[in-house]
Amino acid sequence: MNGVPIVDIDPFDHNYLRNPHEIWESLRNVGPVAWLSRYGHYVLSRYDHVKMAQNEWRTFTTAGGAGISDIRKPDNYRPSSVIVEVEPPKHTDVRKTVNKVIAPPVVRGWREQFESSGEELIDEVVKRGRFDGVRDVSEPYVLKVFPDSIGLDLNREQAVAVGDLNFNSLGPNNELVAKAREKVAPFLAWWHQSIKGETVKPGGAGEMLFKLEADGEIPVGLAGGLVQTFLRGGLDTTISSIGSALWLFAKNPDQWRLLRSKPELLRGAFDETLRMETPIQTNFRTTTGPIEVGGLPLDADKKVQLLLGAANRDPRHWSDPAKFDIARDATSHVAFGNGIHACAGQLIARLEFDSVIKALMNRVALIELDGEPEHRLNNSLRTLNKLPLKVTLDA
Ligand code: HEM
């Protein structure tokens, strides 16, 4: 391995998925890059190197797949994602289409609807005093506003099944993947239909995409591929960020008080939540040639695991990284990726977050834990499954 430290740990072990911080710290300390002998791939966990790999698409390509296996090799072959797993010049055209259908003015046009849905849901939920932050808030909210904006009908079971499989599939073929496959099986017919124009409702981004396809402005098949990408990438991630924020504010009442006294910190609260509880904890690249990272040589054509969650807690970049501090400047987090593949749905994610948290800020003086929270284990997604909360309303 020419000096690259060899490590025999399993970052997909359930204990680490539940509480990743200890293992992220040991990986960051072992060196700028390590070789995971169990899986046969490199891993980057320090902030500077993760960010560099996100930016350098020529040397760290996504064309081999965003997950652990190289999708171009016969044993692992699957068609690539229409946007995340393609590179320029093809990617440039696809990204232009995405930037058109979810352009800032389009998303701004959704604001009223997103905010009133947030007000309505929070108004009803907080009156109960006790509720679950995931089942009663983050999931129903995102599942109400986001599929409508795309123009698709889907229920919680379908959304959870698709998201579980999508994010588990980035990791090894373990029992989490097997269980996710079982759960998604009843919905496969619906999933395939969702990529055909006829099931898309009028008025959403999906309709715009199918119209561009019908007019011959984009290649046949792209509209369906993008609608599926939006659903795969845009549901669980935002559910995760809203759930994590409720958890973090429940554990840090001083930060909730600070936010209510300075509502302008809401922007920072979103970035800080993504830094602390990075929704997509990990994804992969493939080296296109020999390259050095931190003075150590990496071979060509090898998978490289990027630990976004570890980078976002790297003390080499962040002071007091375990502290939830909504007043810090967390905008340099890597939770949205960087470079050409940086998240195309950031504005939507922020709008959803703002709509829910603002509705809570207007009503709730204190958020407290009302039992033990529980994470839904997944190979790459960090998200809560259960978050019992109680709230004290303004007098
Ligand atoms: C908090 C919420 C979200 C997080 C943390 C997140 C995270 C990410 C990350 C890390 C990437 C880069 C993947 C890579 O480098 O391999 C990405 C790409 C992408 N995201 Fe998001 N995402 C979020 C919400 C959304 C939403 C709501 C949409 C809805 C449209 C969306 C659509 C996309 C698309 C289309 C890409 C591919 C961009 C490209 O390859 O050019 N995301 N996201």
Side-chain angles (χ1 to χ4, degrees):
M1 279 289 111
N2 288 332
V4 173
I6 300 173
V7 180
D8 180 26
I9 49 162
D10 183 0
F12 301 99
D13 178 280
H14 287 193
N15 288 327
Y16 293 138
L17 293 179
R18 214 168 272 122
N19 186 5
H21 302 298
E22 201 180 301
I23 190 182
W24 289 171
E25 187 181 4
S26 55
L27 280 169
R28 280 190 306 258
N29 288 339
V30 92
V33 53
W35 175 258
L36 284 192
S37 54
R38 194 172 293 229
Y39 294 109
H41 64 238
Y42 296 109
V43 59
L44 303 183
S45 51
R46 293 186 186 171
Y47 177 87
D48 286 348
H49 304 131
V50 169
K51 189 167 183 172
M52 177 273 296
Q54 288 177 330
N55 276 313
E56 301 283 335
W57 60 270
R58 287 183 180 82
T59 27
F60 291 92
T61 184
T62 58
I68 195 168
S69 33
D70 191 329
I71 60 169
R72 298 164 299 187
K73 307 259 154 92
D75 286 354
N76 306 315
Y77 177 79
R78 66 161 169 77
S80 41
S81 140
V82 294
I83 179 162
V84 180
E85 293 168 345
V86 293
E87 303 289 31
K90 202 172 171 191
H91 176 268
T92 318
D93 292 338
V94 179
R95 185 69 192 230
K96 265 191 212 142
T97 304
V98 168
N99 290 350
K100 194 188 291 179
V101 298
I102 51 173
V106 175
V107 178
R108 277 199 294 275
W110 300 348
R111 177 171 290 277
E112 207 176 302
Q113 174 59 38
F114 277 44
E115 286 186 347
S116 65
S117 294
E119 292 282 334
E120 215 174 285
L121 181 102
I122 294 301
D123 203 40
E124 189 267 312
V125 163
V126 296
K127 277 186 201 143
R128 292 189 234 153
R130 294 184 138 86
F131 55 89
D132 189 285
V134 178
R135 295 299 160 99
D136 299 325
V137 178
S138 61
E139 285 183 354
Y141 177 72
V142 171
L143 288 173
K144 161 126 192 61
V145 296
F146 186 64
D148 273 358
S149 319
I150 305 301
L152 284 178
D153 276 326
L154 80 166
N155 60 37
R156 176 183 181 273
E157 234 187 321
Q158 288 166 326
V160 168
V162 167
D164 250 9
L165 182 60
N166 178 46
F167 286 105
N168 273 316
S169 301
L170 294 184
N173 200 359
N174 55 17
E175 79 270 23
L176 287 173
V177 176
K179 276 194 192 141
R181 280 214 182 95
E182 260 172 49
K183 264 202 281 175
V184 96
F187 306 124
L188 283 182
W190 161 80
W191 182 240
H192 291 303
Q193 270 178 358
S194 73
I195 57 167
K196 296 193 191 134
E198 60 254 38
T199 55
V200 170
K201 292 187 290 183
E207 189 192 32
M208 282 165 80
L209 283 168
F210 283 106
K211 184 160 183 337
L212 288 173
E213 194 175 293
D215 293 347
E217 290 191 39
I218 58 173
V220 173
L222 184 57
L226 283 176
V227 165
Q228 289 194 335
T229 304
F230 290 174
L231 288 185
R232 283 200 302 252
L235 286 171
D236 297 88
T237 47
T238 49
I239 291 172
S240 156
S241 66
I242 295 169
S244 293
L246 298 179
W247 184 39
L248 288 164
F249 280 120
K251 288 192 293 181
N252 298 277
D254 61 314
Q255 295 297 300
W256 184 247
R257 275 193 300 274
L258 177 65
L259 180 62
R260 292 192 82 211
S261 66
K262 292 187 174 175
E264 67 276 15
L265 291 179
L266 187 57
R267 265 196 94 71
F270 180 53
D271 289 317
E272 179 66 346
T273 300
L274 296 180
R275 184 191 72 77
M276 285 288 287
E277 294 295 328
T278 307
I280 303 177
Q281 286 274 306
T282 186
N283 56 16
F284 287 80
R285 297 293 191 258
T286 310
T287 50
T288 54
I291 184 180
E292 272 196 7
V293 171
L296 295 175
L298 273 62
D299 291 337
D301 202 28
K302 293 279 181 269
K303 277 280 168 173
V304 184
Q305 181 173 7
L306 309 185
L307 293 177
L308 281 55
N312 280 336
R313 298 265 193 139
D314 184 357
R316 293 160 192 79
H317 184 79
W318 308 98
S319 64
D320 208 354
K323 185 172 176 216
F324 179 56
D325 173 7
I326 62 168
R328 82 161 82 219
D329 179 2
T331 46
S332 59
H333 68 73
V334 297
F336 278 135
N338 277 287
I340 62 164
H341 292 292
C343 180
Q346 300 184 31
L347 283 183
I348 304 172
R350 193 178 282 280
L351 177 59
E352 291 178 14
F353 183 94
D354 287 1
S355 302
V356 171
I357 303 298
K358 256 198 237 161
L360 280 164
M361 283 160 68
N362 291 338
R363 294 165 175 80
V364 172
L366 180 67
I367 307 175
E368 290 171 279
L369 285 176
D370 190 29
E372 269 306 297
E374 199 182 274
H375 279 89
R376 170 146 61 90
L377 294 194
N378 186 289
N379 283 331
S380 67
L381 181 79
R382 182 148 174 88
T383 197
L384 287 154
N385 192 36
K386 206 169 114 190
L387 179 63
L389 295 175
K390 63 179 175 201
V391 288
T392 308
L393 300 186
D394 281 327

